[in-house]
Amino acid sequence: MRNSDLTEQLRTIRAGGTVVVTGRRARVGCAVIGCAAFTAIGVTMITIALTSIPRVGPVLALLSRPFIGGTLAVLFFGAWGLPVGIRALLRRRRLLLGPEDFTEEVWQHRRWQQVGRIPWTDIADFFSREIGGRWPLHGPRFCGYRLTQDASIAAAALRYRRRLPRLVAPDETAVPRTMLLGTVFPAGHVLELLSAVHRQQTQQVDPSKGH
């Protein structure tokens, strides 16, 4: 992100406006293609293992590395990765960054629907995290945030009241909850913007934080 773009976005929010961050579905499309390719490789490995049954027997064939590796690839990339990726590809997402909070919306039933709204003051910090990577390959990098202790306790209390009223109390020693945004939001771009807006807006609420 260019410094001029970031400065303009911060100025817009400081003036009471809203900045819209649209999800990039191209990177999700690449992930879907990658999952399909690894699924095909997994199926090929399973096929090779099964064709060896007449030669080595069913037990050795099913315990062979090609069969086990192929099965894991099909389960992870095919049974889990493809459905998740296709769903993310079909659903458009965006973030609305305002003076008081940021909102995540998804396009459903021909209109934008809110799926999350977090006040800036409820957030401790933002971070990026790689999910599912194994050397030498890298998994997708997500942008996420940690709730403050007070916000985490309040969220836990609300959750327990909805599920088990008067029976279970939230653990006040629990660490702040960690939340991840969708993979359609590039971690590098979004992390810089969200961190800058969060710093600006919380310092306006409590000027002592800037010292």
Side-chain angles (χ1 to χ4, degrees), residues 145-158:
Y145 57 90
R146 279 178 282 265
L147 295 177
T148 62
Q149 186 72 12
D150 290 341
S152 179
I153 293 173
L158 178 61

Side-chain angles (χ1 to χ4, degrees), residues 7 11 22 24 56 86 95 106 120 153 170 179 186 193 195 208:
T7 301
R11 186 181 298 117
T22 56
R24 298 181 182 178
V56 301
I86 292 174
L95 299 177
V106 61
W120 297 113
I153 293 173
M179 308 293 288
L193 175 59
S195 296
S208 64

Side-chain angles (χ1 to χ4, degrees), residues 27-196:
R27 69 196 304 258
V28 179
C30 293
V32 170
I33 294 174
C35 285
F38 280 109
T39 301
I41 293 173
V43 171
T44 302
M45 293 172 66
I46 292 175
T47 302
I48 293 174
L50 294 179
T51 55
S52 68
I53 289 179
R55 187 176 68 258
V56 301
V59 175
L60 292 179
L62 297 180
L63 294 177
S64 65
R65 291 184 179 179
F67 184 84
I68 295 176
T71 300
L72 293 176
V74 170
L75 290 177
F76 182 79
F77 295 104
W80 178 79
L82 277 178
V84 171
I86 292 174
R87 183 180 180 183
L89 190 62
L90 295 178
R91 287 189 175 183
R92 288 186 291 162
R93 289 181 177 268
R94 69 180 185 181
L95 299 177
L96 304 180
L97 313 185
E100 304 296 331
D101 51 43
F102 80 91
T103 303
E104 185 174 1
E105 295 184 335
V106 61
W107 180 260
Q108 291 186 113
H109 309 300
R110 299 183 180 180
R111 65 187 182 91
W112 288 104
Q113 297 187 26
Q114 186 179 116
V115 295
R117 175 180 172 274
I118 306 293
W120 297 113
T121 52
D122 283 356
I123 297 173
D125 63 353
F126 289 90
F127 62 91
S128 66
R129 177 176 300 170
E130 182 182 291
I131 303 296
R134 292 292 185 274
W135 188 90
L137 301 177
H138 295 281
R141 185 166 289 278
F142 290 80
C143 178
Y145 57 90
R146 279 178 282 265
L147 295 177
T148 62
Q149 186 72 12
D150 290 341
S152 179
I153 293 173
L158 178 61
R159 184 171 65 254
Y160 282 122
R161 282 200 300 270
R162 287 176 176 175
R163 295 182 179 179
L164 298 172
R166 300 182 182 179
L167 295 180
V168 182
D171 181 6
E172 295 190 358
T173 64
V175 297
R177 293 193 309 163
T178 297
M179 308 293 288
L180 293 176
L181 299 176
T183 185
V184 295
F185 301 108
H189 167 78
V190 176
L191 177 62
E192 181 182 6
L193 175 59
L194 289 175
S195 296

